[in-house]
Amino acid sequence: MVVDDDPRLRRLLQRYLFEHGFRVSVAANAAEARHTLEGIQPDALVLDVTMPGENGLELTRALRESGQDLPILLLTARGEPEDRITGLEAGADDYLGKPFEPRELLLRLKAHLRRHQPPPPTDNLRIVRLGDKEFDPVRLLLSGPEGNIHMTGGEAALLCVLARKPNEIFTREEIAKAMDMTEIGERAVDVQVTRLRRCIEPDPREPRFLHTVRGRGYVLKPGL
């Protein structure tokens, strides 16, 4: 689904993505997008930031708060690193500055859709205990005493990467590469870690399971 107030860009992306195997819905603003989302569940959302009325960042936050975990890729004329981080903090998975090549958008969409697919079962993927929570890396499912715990696709992908090798330190570069995030930048990994801690830690400010190793990276230490 493409949401942008520029009709020319909507038509261009709809045609281009259709030619590459996607079925594409479009909306001119957040209100239209909300109405469309009442009837369909897209696999991914391409969302302009600077729309009149409710902007893309506000819609992203609202969708995440409502439990939507589909990949969200933000489009904006502002491409500075701090702007990208703001988008990630709002809950987006990626950030693409205008102008851009449609092929780059296509490649990024495919990368995020791959991340949202459960990995094939292997002997190395076992249930991970995190206090009173459990993470199933095959189904990308986090559960606790009260049932399943919502995670975005990016949060689940990060936890899956770390859970494959518990107690092993991963550098930010290694995590970014494993999550197809190298183009966004390593600081984006820090944002995803902060968001993941809110899901798995009793107190995100005092992590018990997802630790920062100063000067090296992050490590997941399962336990009760």
Side-chain angles (χ1 to χ4, degrees):
M1 183 177 178
V2 175
V3 186
D4 197 297
D5 60 332
D6 182 343
R8 183 192 63 83
L9 182 59
R10 288 200 308 274
R11 290 193 297 268
L12 183 153
L13 291 180
Q14 186 175 33
R15 182 175 66 251
Y16 182 83
L17 293 173
F18 177 79
E19 290 172 351
H20 288 81
F22 287 83
R23 289 177 293 174
V24 185
S25 299
V26 296
N29 51 52
E32 283 189 19
R34 286 179 178 277
H35 179 73
T36 303
L37 287 169
E38 292 176 359
I40 65 169
Q41 178 60 49
D43 295 308
L45 186 64
V46 178
L47 178 60
D48 185 32
V49 169
T50 54
M51 296 184 293
E54 184 180 17
N55 65 38
L57 291 176
E58 293 166 340
L59 180 58
T60 297
R61 290 191 187 97
L63 290 174
R64 292 309 190 209
E65 289 171 0
S66 70
Q68 291 275 5
D69 64 351
L70 75 168
I72 297 178
L73 191 153
L74 295 178
L75 302 177
T76 183
R78 296 174 299 190
E80 294 301 317
E82 285 304 317
D83 294 321
R84 294 198 296 270
I85 295 302
T86 299
L88 294 171
E89 289 175 338
D93 294 277
D94 206 344
Y95 204 103
L96 191 58
K98 297 178 181 179
F100 59 88
E101 289 291 333
R103 178 167 171 76
E104 181 178 3
L105 173 66
L106 176 66
L107 293 174
R108 292 196 184 200
L109 273 177
K110 288 183 175 180
H112 288 296
L113 289 169
R114 285 196 303 270
R115 281 172 44 195
H116 278 66
Q117 295 297 317
T122 74
D123 292 339
N124 295 326
L125 296 177
R126 299 183 176 89
I127 298 293
V128 175
R129 289 294 305 274
L130 301 165
D132 61 356
K133 302 178 181 67
E134 290 186 346
F135 176 64
D136 182 342
V138 174
R139 296 189 295 160
L140 299 181
L141 185 65
L142 180 67
S143 59
E146 299 181 359
N148 294 340
I149 299 169
H150 171 73
M151 292 191 296
T152 67
E155 292 157 3
L158 172 58
L159 185 52
C160 188
V161 169
L162 299 173
R164 284 174 178 268
K165 296 180 180 179
N167 300 304
E168 181 172 317
I169 298 172
F170 287 80
T171 66
R172 289 171 175 81
E173 181 181 4
E174 290 170 336
I175 294 172
K177 183 176 180 180
M179 295 178 62
D180 290 315
M181 293 173 60
T182 51
E183 300 234 357
I184 312 177
E186 293 178 18
R187 184 162 168 212
V189 173
D190 298 333
V191 175
Q192 291 285 10
V193 166
T194 298
R195 287 165 47 181
L196 178 57
R197 281 176 172 152
R198 295 174 188 151
C199 298
I200 67 173
E201 299 285 1
D203 182 355
R205 295 168 299 179
E206 300 282 344
R208 286 175 51 193
F209 309 113
L210 179 45
H211 296 266
T212 302
V213 182
R214 188 176 297 277
R216 299 182 65 185
Y218 296 103
V219 57
L220 184 70
K221 296 185 177 181
L224 298 176

